[in-house]
Amino acid sequence: MPSVVGYHPNGSPSATRDLSLGPLNSANKQEPRDEAKHSPEELTEAAPSRSLTTKDAAIAEFFSQKTFQLVLHNPTTAHQLLRFSQDRLCGESMEFLKKVDRYNTLLDETMKTISEIHRSFISTNAPTPINLSQPMADQIREDIKTTTSTTLPAMELIFSDAQEQIEDLLATDIYPRFVKHQMTASAVQALGSDKNKYAGLGDCFVLTNPAIADNPIVYASDGFVKVTGYSRTDIIPRNCRFLQGDYTEKATVRRLRASIDANNESVELLLNYRKDGQPFWNLLYVTPLLDQTGKVAFFLGGQINCSTTVHSSSDVMRVLSTHEGGPDDEDTNSVMTPTSAEPVKRYNNLNNLSSRLRALRGQRPGLDDANVSREAGMEQGLVNQIERMRLKDQVDTFYTAYSKFIILSLPDFLITFYSPSFFEMLCLSPTAAVNFPGTNIFKLLKEHTTNTSRDLKGKVRTAVKMGKAISVEASLMTRHSVVRSRSERCKLHWTPLKDERGAVGWCVLTVGFVR
């Protein structure tokens, strides 16, 4: 069988190896780097591309050659990877590999059949020889020798180089994006059902200040302290790179740094290290927060410790088999938009939908007419939108567990920063954008929720004032409510952010829908 390219933990090619699945690299692991011993540039470029050691067996390998080959040959994960690739207009790569795999199987079957015919009927020691003339039998044996020694090996090599190149393309580009996408899909589902499934989900955030040299952390949640194992004084004011170590993939760090330099939002799955040196997979979301003048005031970072649930290759395969479903299927649309103070203008005058939404809200005062871009389930609209995108934009498209968030200033709980997806979720009209910043969040929720606990406001205020994160259920009127004629059950996660003294200065509100 043809050999294939080996891959580093990030999917980049290494030495050529046989197609059979071999054991993971067990090279000796180095300790995480200490900021005091390395320059910021060295820390940013940290991470030789090596597999984790058997010592770190509890850390599942998402990007190893073994996992990559398992994904390609497992029907469920291969189907999900195919769908993901097709959405980015490169599904032909997976189709090609599928056909080549079938081709190689047929060659194996041909070789096996020829061998069986020769052994049973043609060879001089055949148990059931057929009645052939000696010249014909000799000719057949010579043809079999030529075919098995020359022809079939040559046929095996026809697609080998192309196979290596396509697997290289998938492993270095599409597959890492697929892993992030599937990991995010799993986190999205958990955010509305069981956020304890992943450590830090819904309550692990930091704010960094780009106006200060090296963009240090200036506010951090208790969840961040718990996930990383560092004290608050250890964390503030340091750049987030202090969580990196020798096995943090440098290509991932470069992408993250480029996104921050360009003031773009980004999602990365990278290996970080706790204070005690224990590595963990961090699903990191970073987005700029713009003030009213369009200047970046802060960067919001949301961390999710995936290693609390994903321990083995079977856990990885389970996560990579995640099927998206429910309202958040459309999240991919919202994060295609720039993170800015301006909501995306995708509204049109669908008066019938507006009327239905007003009816669901009970004609509550103070609400603008709903202008909805499309109804739920209109997948063709997304397909058409994707087809109009440049290829690079298609490949770069991602979504995040925190696509719907609001940053509240305290103690008055006033909306200061928000994601376009949160704005769109509520079906607010473009004119509402003018007054959205500065709105009291409890007033907004009163206008957009039904059957919400009367003491929600009191519970949230008390918890946040004490510096504690809190999650509450609510029935929210969203754009999906228009077509479903009912509100959606969701969980509202409120996370206080504290300075180096432990004083609460901000609160992050994220939304997860209950399935």
Side-chain angles (χ1 to χ4, degrees):
M1 292 297 295
S3 59
V4 296
V5 176
Y7 298 94
H8 294 304
N10 74 324
S12 59
S14 61
T16 300
R17 62 198 303 176
D18 187 78
L19 187 61
S20 59
L21 305 181
L24 299 178
N25 185 350
S26 58
N28 292 328
K29 175 186 170 298
Q30 299 180 18
E31 293 300 318
R33 294 194 176 194
D34 190 330
E35 263 192 302
K37 298 179 181 179
H38 298 271
S39 68
E41 292 75 14
E42 289 177 317
L43 285 164
T44 300
E45 298 299 324
S49 297
R50 291 174 296 219
S51 299
L52 299 177
T53 68
T54 53
K55 176 184 177 181
D56 298 317
I59 301 299
E61 295 198 66
F62 285 94
F63 304 109
S64 69
Q65 160 70 2
K66 178 179 179 179
T67 302
F68 177 61
Q69 290 295 330
L70 284 173
V71 169
L72 288 182
H73 294 91
N74 177 279
T76 303
T77 53
H79 177 68
Q80 294 289 41
L81 180 55
L82 174 61
R83 287 185 56 193
F84 182 83
S85 302
Q86 289 173 334
D87 288 343
R88 282 139 189 87
L89 304 185
C90 53
E92 66 279 359
S93 295
M94 285 294 295
E95 292 287 358
F96 170 78
L97 291 180
K98 181 179 179 180
K99 293 294 185 182
V100 169
D101 190 57
R102 176 57 179 160
Y103 171 81
N104 287 326
T105 299
L106 291 175
L107 288 181
D108 284 343
E109 292 176 356
T110 301
M111 178 72 80
K112 181 179 179 181
T113 302
I114 290 175
S115 177
E116 290 175 349
I117 292 174
H118 178 264
R119 182 175 61 254
S120 300
F121 308 108
I122 307 298
S123 71
T124 55
N125 298 321
T128 54
I130 57 178
N131 189 17
L132 294 176
S133 64
Q134 189 62 38
M136 181 174 290
D138 292 341
Q139 182 61 50
I140 292 176
R141 283 193 286 270
E142 184 63 29
D143 290 343
I144 290 176
K145 180 179 179 181
T146 302
T147 299
T148 56
S149 63
T150 305
T151 305
L152 286 179
M155 292 180 68
E156 287 182 339
L157 297 176
I158 290 176
F159 300 111
S160 61
D161 289 344
Q163 180 183 3
E164 290 182 3
Q165 183 172 331
I166 295 302
E167 288 197 355
D168 183 25
L169 171 65
L170 286 173
T172 58
D173 191 1
I174 300 301
Y175 177 69
R177 298 173 193 273
F178 167 73
V179 170
K180 289 187 294 184
H181 184 276
Q182 293 299 97
M183 193 69 249
T184 299
S186 178
V188 166
Q189 294 177 7
L191 191 63
S193 57
D194 179 18
K195 79 181 191 68
N196 294 323
K197 180 177 181 180
Y198 297 107
L201 180 60
D203 64 10
C204 183
F205 297 98
V206 295
L207 285 183
T208 68
N209 190 343
I212 303 176
D214 206 27
N215 192 20
I217 298 170
V218 289
Y219 290 92
S221 68
D222 288 345
F224 186 84
V225 173
K226 183 177 180 180
V227 165
T228 64
Y230 287 90
S231 68
R232 193 169 299 279
T233 54
D234 288 334
I235 296 168
I236 303 175
R238 299 172 76 180
N239 185 284
C240 291
R241 75 171 66 89
F242 75 91
L243 295 177
Q244 297 171 22
D246 281 347
Y247 289 92
T248 305
E249 182 56 47
K250 59 184 179 181
T252 304
V253 175
R254 283 197 299 268
R255 287 195 303 270
L256 180 61
R257 183 176 60 186
S259 295
I260 293 175
D261 290 344
N263 294 334
N264 292 330
E265 63 179 351
S266 63
V267 172
E268 294 292 349
L269 181 64
L270 72 163
L271 198 68
N272 277 166
Y273 292 82
R274 289 173 45 86
K275 185 175 182 178
D276 59 9
Q278 179 183 358
F280 67 96
W281 285 109
N282 180 11
L283 185 63
L284 174 64
Y285 172 58
V286 178
T287 187
L289 303 177
L290 309 186
D291 59 23
Q292 292 297 308
T293 66
K295 181 180 179 181
V296 178
F298 298 102
F299 280 94
L300 171 68
Q303 293 81 15
I304 302 173
N305 181 353
C306 303
S307 296
T308 54
T309 298
V310 182
H311 304 293
S312 63
S313 59
S314 60
D315 291 333
V316 171
M317 297 299 287
R318 174 179 47 78
V319 169
L320 298 186
S321 300
T322 299
H323 171 70
E324 300 166 61
D328 281 342
D329 272 0
E330 294 185 28
D331 282 350
T332 49
N333 307 333
S334 60
V335 296
M336 290 178 190
T337 68
T339 303
S340 65
E342 286 290 329
V344 176
K345 298 180 180 179
R346 296 177 182 165
Y347 309 92
N348 53 43
N349 293 319
L350 300 178
N351 294 326
N352 59 327
L353 297 183
S354 300
S355 300
R356 291 174 66 184
L357 186 58
R358 285 198 303 271
L360 285 170
R361 289 168 170 167
Q363 296 289 353
R364 292 177 180 170
L367 293 175
D368 296 301
D369 287 349
N371 296 308
V372 187
S373 60
R374 63 177 173 276
E375 296 189 22
M378 295 181 65
E379 290 84 359
Q380 188 57 44
L382 175 58
V383 172
N384 294 337
Q385 180 180 352
I386 289 178
E387 288 177 349
R388 292 193 297 268
M389 297 170 62
R390 293 182 297 110
L391 180 59
K392 182 178 184 299
D393 291 333
Q394 295 160 11
V395 177
D396 287 344
T397 296
F398 62 88
Y399 78 112
T400 168
Y402 300 133
S403 61
K404 301 174 181 66
F405 70 83
I406 283 181
I407 310 296
L408 305 167
S409 60
L410 302 176
D412 297 324
F413 288 84
L414 301 181
I415 297 172
T416 306
F417 308 103
Y418 62 94
S419 65
S421 297
F422 195 102
F423 191 91
E424 291 178 348
M425 175 186 68
L426 299 180
C427 284
L428 299 176
S429 67
T431 57
V434 177
N435 299 319
F436 198 63
T439 301
N440 182 277
I441 185 60
F442 298 111
K443 177 183 178 181
L444 181 74
L445 291 178
K446 184 178 180 180
E447 296 171 345
H448 290 267
T449 55
T450 61
N451 302 325
T452 302
S453 172
R454 293 181 178 180
D455 58 350
L456 179 148
K457 179 178 178 180
K459 285 183 177 180
V460 171
R461 279 187 173 276
T462 299
V464 173
K465 184 178 180 179
M466 296 175 62
K468 297 181 179 179
I470 183 173
S471 298
V472 295
E473 283 202 22
S475 295
L476 195 63
M477 305 305 303
T478 70
R479 59 183 178 179
H480 300 284
S481 302
V482 176
V483 294
R484 298 178 182 178
S485 300
R486 60 179 173 82
S487 59
E488 290 190 272
R489 290 178 58 210
C490 67
K491 288 188 177 180
L492 306 176
H493 305 287
W494 310 72
T495 305
L497 300 181
K498 304 176 183 179
D499 61 18
E500 69 278 8
R501 301 186 306 276
V504 178
W506 300 89
C507 181
V508 180
L509 170 60
T510 56
V511 180
F513 287 94
V514 178
R515 298 289 182 260

